[in-house]
Amino acid sequence: MRQVSVGSIVGQLAKAEGLNVIGVVGSDEKAEWITKELGFDGAINYKTDDLAAKLDELAPKGIDVFFENTGGPIQHHIFERMNAHGRVVVCGLIADYPKAEPAPGPSWLNVIKKRVRIEGFTMPDHFGEIPQLLQTLTPYVMSGQVKYRAHTLEGLESAITGLNLFFTGDNKGKLVVKL
Ligand SMILES: NC(=O)c1ccc[n+]([C@@H]2O[C@H](COP(=O)([O-])OP(=O)(O)OC[C@H]3O[C@@H](n4cnc5c(N)ncnc54)[C@H](OP(=O)(O)O)[C@@H]3O)[C@@H](O)[C@H]2O)c1
């Protein structure tokens, strides 16, 4: 499960539904936030941890659902650990956005061997489901079971700073430009 804003909500929803959830983050502060504050079962720092060793430690029985939000080297380690009939949701590939050529993805071989189901996700396809989402999410937010944090910048002129923060990871929470 990957990251700060989208990933933190997806992870908390998964947790509220009873799943064992591991988050991938880029700093120890974020690792502490998702485990201590949000209740994730584990965190992996994609910048400093030994990815394979940490995944073996946190997911010894393999991975059933992979919510892909970033791309980058860890996707291969996760994919290798997918369980049979596992599911992959491809929502974002931030590691590839600044590149002229996206990095090669995982091999199709494991898709066959593990009978993995993969589906791309784009938010506009689901606008019609916002009422159902609110029905599920609102009680969780009201009861404090789902928490969020926003990183708010003031004024349109700060939008470029916001865009840069998106890639440096110095934002803490969903980036919002207040007009
Ligand atoms: N499909 C859709 O409809 C849809 C809608 C909204 C967002 N998204 C996608 O969701 C993802 C997260 O967006 P957000 O709004 O939640 O942004 P965010 O709060 O800024 O989170 C971005 C996350 O990506 C991580 N990251 C940045 N560069 C990375 C890299 N090279 N390798 C691995 N991780 C990296 C950051 O880690 P650190 O900061 O901890 O380093 C941060 O945790 C993006 O890929 C975005 O495009 C998709």
Side-chain angles (χ1 to χ4, degrees):
M1 188 77 46
R2 317 182 65 182
Q3 284 24 292
V4 176
S5 310
V6 176
S8 71
I9 299 295
V10 173
Q12 289 180 89
L13 279 174
K15 202 63 229 153
E17 299 293 326
L19 275 69
N20 191 58
V21 180
I22 301 161
V24 182
V25 293
S27 73
D28 291 342
E29 187 274 334
K30 286 176 189 171
E32 192 152 315
W33 178 57
I34 65 167
T35 51
K36 303 253 165 73
E37 278 276 315
L38 306 187
F40 281 39
D41 299 284
I44 301 176
N45 185 330
Y46 74 90
K47 290 179 180 164
T48 57
D49 279 335
D50 177 333
L51 305 178
K54 198 78 186 171
L55 277 166
D56 287 342
E57 176 198 324
L58 293 172
K61 293 185 188 158
I63 294 160
D64 296 313
V65 179
F66 171 23
F67 190 89
E68 171 60 291
N69 228 3
T70 66
I74 197 169
Q75 70 176 188
H76 298 282
H77 296 285
I78 296 170
F79 211 74
E80 277 165 23
R81 287 164 179 76
M82 290 303 296
N83 288 329
H85 302 287
R87 289 170 291 158
V88 182
V89 181
V90 185
C91 172
L93 289 171
I94 191 171
D96 282 334
Y97 299 159
K99 294 184 185 156
E101 294 272 334
S107 160
W108 291 109
L109 214 56
N110 265 334
V111 178
I112 303 169
K113 280 203 255 175
K114 310 269 185 79
R115 289 85 79 206
V116 171
R117 269 197 288 157
I118 305 172
E119 188 169 350
F121 171 89
T122 64
M123 196 177 45
D125 285 355
H126 301 274
F127 279 154
E129 294 159 63
I130 287 175
Q132 288 113 289
L133 170 73
L134 291 179
Q135 222 169 23
T136 307
L137 199 54
T138 308
Y140 286 145
V141 174
M142 298 300 281
S143 67
Q145 205 172 347
V146 168
K147 299 176 189 149
Y148 69 97
R149 60 183 188 180
H151 189 123
T152 307
L153 301 168
E154 295 287 336
L156 190 57
E157 57 286 358
S158 64
I160 295 292
T161 309
L163 210 51
N164 288 330
L165 284 173
F166 185 59
F167 288 104
T168 61
D170 289 328
N171 61 308
K172 293 201 174 101
K174 185 75 184 170
L175 272 165
V176 176
V177 174
K178 195 172 170 190
L179 302 179

